[in-house]
Amino acid sequence: MFILVLGSVLLLMHAYVWKRMVRDTTRPGRSRLLLSALVAALLLLLIATLFVPRVLGVEESGWFAWPGYLWFGLLAYLFLATLVLEPVRLALRRWVMRGPAAADPEAPVTSEEPQRRAVDRRMFLARTAAVTAGVAAVGVTGFGAARALGPPDVLRIPVRLRRLDPAFDNFRIAVVSDIHLGPLLGRAHTERIVRMINETEPDLVAVVGDLVDGTVEELGPAAEPLQDLVTREGAFFVTGNHEYFVDDTASWIRELERFGLDVLRNENTRISRGAAAFALAGVNDIAGEERNDPPDFDRALDGVSPNGPTVLLAHQPIQVTEAAARGVDLQLSGHTHGGQMWPFHYAVELAAPSLAGLSTVQDTQLYVSRGAGFWGPPVRVGAPPDISVIELVGG
């Protein structure tokens, strides 16, 4: 069903862009035929980019994933730009279609000349709109690609927690999510993220899911720099939905543990400084339900002391409802990418209690990172990547 819906949407987007960018701007003939073939080829390229890597693997898919996903981003903004120009196009079309009245009344004309002039003006307006939409789409996509492929922002967010012992004042938790190693992002991406995290000198690192889009055999070397994380209290990981898109999630768990990360699978640990402590818990992602590995909040919070605060790692912000019902003080999440590509964040907001940043759900604070990578188009517009440093303060 998902493939059917996605395929139908992509087909309609290509058809609309073809109508406005090709059919309306060209006369029947060789140019229209060649441009139509190009649009058809780009549609096939995008379908291959989305589905073939599951068959061929990550390494074999890289050569067509880059142009395919870049076209995906450009297509989205071509579609939006032409939609925005639609009211202008309709208004000008009405003016052009006034027929003979639009012609110069002083000029000698044949009976076909007014119609020919109207057609010429319609073609001119269509080409002007197409060029305008194309320039806008290329500009936005280029800006978004530079932002997505550039270094993440480092954000520092003070968070006040009740019952936090003064020994933990200014305790720094570096939060990174949605790294999305795959056909477009590899070892160099991980190395940069690790270097930037280490430069913040964190007390603890939390990797909150969606690290990989492939198997250990394909992406193990790309994830290996995670073993170079430098932290006083350790680096911790919880699964995201993409960890369950591979056939063997357990192999990734073992690999990350080999890199020195503590994987919290519906469990908690005690972070101590002398006699002071707080609980760090982690739950599996919701997608684990389909692999008999669901989130279990009761098990994750079992034995947590009520005398100190609890910090929960959970990939999806929507899991905060369960966290709030159990008195969690702070949940750290990712998943949303901050919407990744404006204005599509409006749709993401409908499915998440928070798009990005710090918010409160009942008595539980929720922090959502925009993520350090991207999924699909290597484009971020209005949602730059980030590494967030949570600085705890006693309440």
Side-chain angles (χ1 to χ4, degrees), residues 206-222:
V207 184
V208 287
D210 279 10
L211 171 65
V212 292
D213 288 304
T215 66
V216 170
E217 291 74 21
E218 295 169 325
L219 296 173

Side-chain angles (χ1 to χ4, degrees), residues 182-375:
L184 304 188
L185 295 172
R187 187 182 181 98
H189 178 56
T190 313
E191 289 174 343
R192 179 170 63 184
I193 289 171
V194 168
R195 183 180 68 252
M196 294 179 69
I197 289 175
N198 288 344
E199 288 172 354
T200 70
E201 299 182 344
D203 294 293
L204 185 149
V205 174
V207 184
V208 287
D210 279 10
L211 171 65
V212 292
D213 288 304
T215 66
V216 170
E217 291 74 21
E218 295 169 325
L219 296 173
E224 190 176 20
L226 291 172
Q227 67 186 357
D228 298 325
L229 286 167
V230 178
T231 171
R232 298 175 182 85
E233 303 292 344
F236 297 84
F237 178 85
V238 291
T239 55
N241 53 305
H242 281 248
E243 272 71 56
Y244 293 101
F245 291 169
V246 297
D247 292 332
D248 189 4
T249 304
S251 64
W252 266 116
I253 302 302
R254 292 191 296 270
E255 188 75 349
L256 293 176
E257 289 174 340
R258 188 174 72 83
F259 294 155
L261 277 71
D262 290 321
V263 182
L264 296 176
R265 305 183 71 186
N266 297 323
E267 55 190 324
N268 65 80
T269 187
R270 178 183 171 93
I271 307 299
S272 303
R273 283 191 172 176
F278 70 85
L280 181 71
V283 291
N284 297 347
D285 185 72
I286 297 169
E289 294 176 352
E290 299 179 3
R291 296 293 186 88
N292 295 317
D293 194 25
D296 187 336
F297 283 82
D298 292 333
R299 179 181 161 196
L301 299 172
D302 184 44
V304 167
S305 171
N307 298 322
T310 300
V311 177
L312 175 71
L313 310 183
H315 177 63
Q316 298 197 38
I318 198 171
Q319 294 175 280
V320 73
T321 303
E322 295 277 357
R326 290 164 173 79
V328 168
D329 296 271
L330 172 65
Q331 176 175 312
L332 303 176
S333 298
H335 186 62
T336 67
H337 296 204
Q340 186 166 321
M341 294 170 57
W342 180 91
F344 301 104
H345 71 278
Y346 291 115
V348 178
E349 282 183 315
L350 297 176
S354 174
L355 193 65
L358 188 64
S359 60
T360 302
V361 177
Q362 298 179 32
D363 292 327
T364 297
Q365 295 185 80
L366 169 66
Y367 182 79
V368 181
S369 167
R370 293 191 297 261
F374 52 81
W375 184 85

